[in-house]
Amino acid sequence: MLLLSTDGSTTMTEVQIGPDAAPPSDRALELVGGAYDLHVHLAPDVMARSAYDDEAARRFAEVGMAGMVLKSHYVPTAERAALIRRFVPQTDTLGAITLNATVGGLNPLAVEIAAREGAAIVWMPTVDAANETAGRMDLPPDANVPVWARLQQDLRRRGFATPPVPVVDGDGRVLPELLDVLRLIAEHDLVLATGHLHRDEIFAVVAAAVDVGVTRIIVTHPEFPSQNLAPADQVALAERGALLERCFTTPNTEKVAWDVMLRHIRHCGPAASFLASDLGQTTAPPVQHGLAHFADRLLAEGFSEADIRTMAVGNTRRLLGR
């Protein structure tokens, strides 16, 4: 099977690391010790996941990880995170909110409540982003799409189709309700993540966020097919102060070639990137091993231990203020 790279070239895909794969090396586990995984999908959820919150928290502690952020496309997770911190205090488990239709889209009240409950990250729309069509179009059964896209399609068939959640108007200007949300993110010193927005939307949102005083910004998986940001765009966003999220799942599920992601990291520099797993799928390796598997790949490709520590530990802790 061939993958199309962003420069138009093709590359052979590689064997995916699955749930029964060998664990990462001790060296890699040591390098990501003390890191936070800012992007994990766990149970309870509306789709099958590889582990429950408490199971993952215990496993994170066992391998020396500092913490994780629970992401759901559909519900806020700060309450879940608070319970896990109480019962598994060894792991700093944090919650988030994603501004899809199920929370009212760009809903300032939902953001305010999430902030008061201790949420760490506010994601812009993902499954309901105007740019994200995977759940709104008919796809062949063998299409390489995330599990949430199948869920979105099922909801649509059952009459629960929702219009996309816009963040800009027809002229590309940010919407007033987006500005309200961004002001709350700044007021509560939360982390903004750009979700599944289009390239132009990402630039508009980042510029508006900086203008209203948001200080911690994530460009969500820039290699993901619905983002697919060019290296020059990634550099420009990093120059605005954003950090680029490099998700292990994106190349591991063959949505982008490994060489493309690695080239992007080198182009932007490790100081502008951080590692995340985006794991929790039942076909994926255990969530606590995501960053270490990523580290093993980076070591094999010639990245230094210092660069890996910067991306896995230094930048993830800096984003959370830890």
Side-chain angles (χ1 to χ4, degrees):
M1 178 180 176
L2 290 175
L3 280 177
L4 181 65
S5 300
T6 54
D7 63 359
S9 64
T10 58
T11 182
M12 293 299 298
T13 61
E14 302 176 52
V15 176
Q16 296 181 32
I17 300 175
D20 299 321
S25 69
D26 290 342
R27 182 185 182 198
L29 287 167
E30 183 178 356
L31 283 175
V32 302
Y36 283 78
D37 191 338
L38 306 188
H39 193 154
V40 299
H41 295 276
L42 299 170
D45 200 354
V46 290
M47 59 198 80
R49 294 300 184 187
S50 62
Y52 278 85
D53 296 340
D54 62 317
E55 295 172 322
R58 292 186 181 91
R59 294 169 188 170
F60 266 57
E62 290 170 359
V63 300
M65 296 278 288
M68 60 184 178
V69 177
L70 307 177
K71 182 178 182 184
S72 168
H73 292 294
Y74 300 98
V75 297
T77 60
E79 289 185 352
R80 283 166 51 185
L83 282 172
I84 298 306
R85 288 196 304 273
R86 179 178 180 183
F87 293 109
V88 192
Q90 307 94 314
T91 297
D92 189 15
T93 302
L94 301 169
I97 186 170
T98 306
L99 301 183
N100 288 318
T102 51
V103 301
L106 299 180
N107 182 354
L109 179 58
V111 173
E112 175 70 18
I113 295 302
R116 291 179 183 228
E117 289 187 319
I121 297 178
V122 178
W123 266 279
M124 288 292 104
T126 57
V127 299
D128 291 321
N131 176 61
E132 186 55 82
T133 60
R136 295 195 298 271
M137 59 189 294
D138 294 326
L139 297 167
D142 60 347
N144 183 17
V145 297
V147 290
W148 54 258
R150 301 294 183 195
L151 173 63
Q152 289 291 102
Q153 291 171 331
D154 183 59
L155 291 172
R156 182 162 58 92
R157 285 191 293 269
R158 293 174 61 84
F160 293 106
T162 55
V165 176
V167 298
V168 296
D169 63 19
D171 295 320
R173 294 186 295 258
V174 295
L175 296 174
E177 51 267 42
L178 173 65
L179 287 174
D180 290 340
V181 164
L182 294 177
R183 292 187 185 104
L184 287 171
I185 293 172
E187 177 185 339
H188 291 286
D189 196 22
L190 305 177
V191 181
L192 166 69
T194 56
H196 291 203
L197 301 182
H198 180 270
R199 179 259 184 203
D200 295 345
E201 294 172 318
I202 292 170
F203 272 87
V205 168
V206 169
V210 171
D211 286 346
V212 301
V214 177
T215 59
R216 293 177 289 169
I217 302 172
I218 292 170
V219 177
T220 308
H221 45 47
E223 285 79 28
F224 198 75
S226 54
Q227 282 63 72
N228 193 24
L229 295 178
D233 287 337
Q234 295 186 30
V235 170
L237 290 164
E239 289 174 346
R240 295 302 307 266
L243 280 174
L244 303 155
E245 179 191 51
R246 311 300 182 179
C247 284
F248 172 79
T249 297
T250 309
N252 193 55
T253 54
E254 302 177 347
K255 293 180 179 65
V256 70
W258 268 107
D259 70 303
V260 171
M261 177 177 282
L262 297 171
R263 187 164 64 248
H264 288 178
I265 295 173
R266 289 190 172 98
H267 185 85
C268 299
S273 301
F274 73 95
L275 307 186
S277 75
D278 197 4
L279 287 180
Q281 304 81 14
T282 57
T283 56
V287 65
Q288 73 274 14
H289 287 162
L291 266 60
H293 280 308
F294 208 152
D296 269 328
R297 181 63 188 239
L298 292 169
L299 287 168
E301 297 290 342
F303 284 83
S304 72
E305 292 188 354
D307 285 344
I308 294 169
R309 287 287 292 178
T310 293
M311 292 186 283
V313 184
N315 285 347
T316 60
R317 297 183 74 99
R318 178 159 66 89
L319 278 165
L320 294 176
R322 278 357 190 217

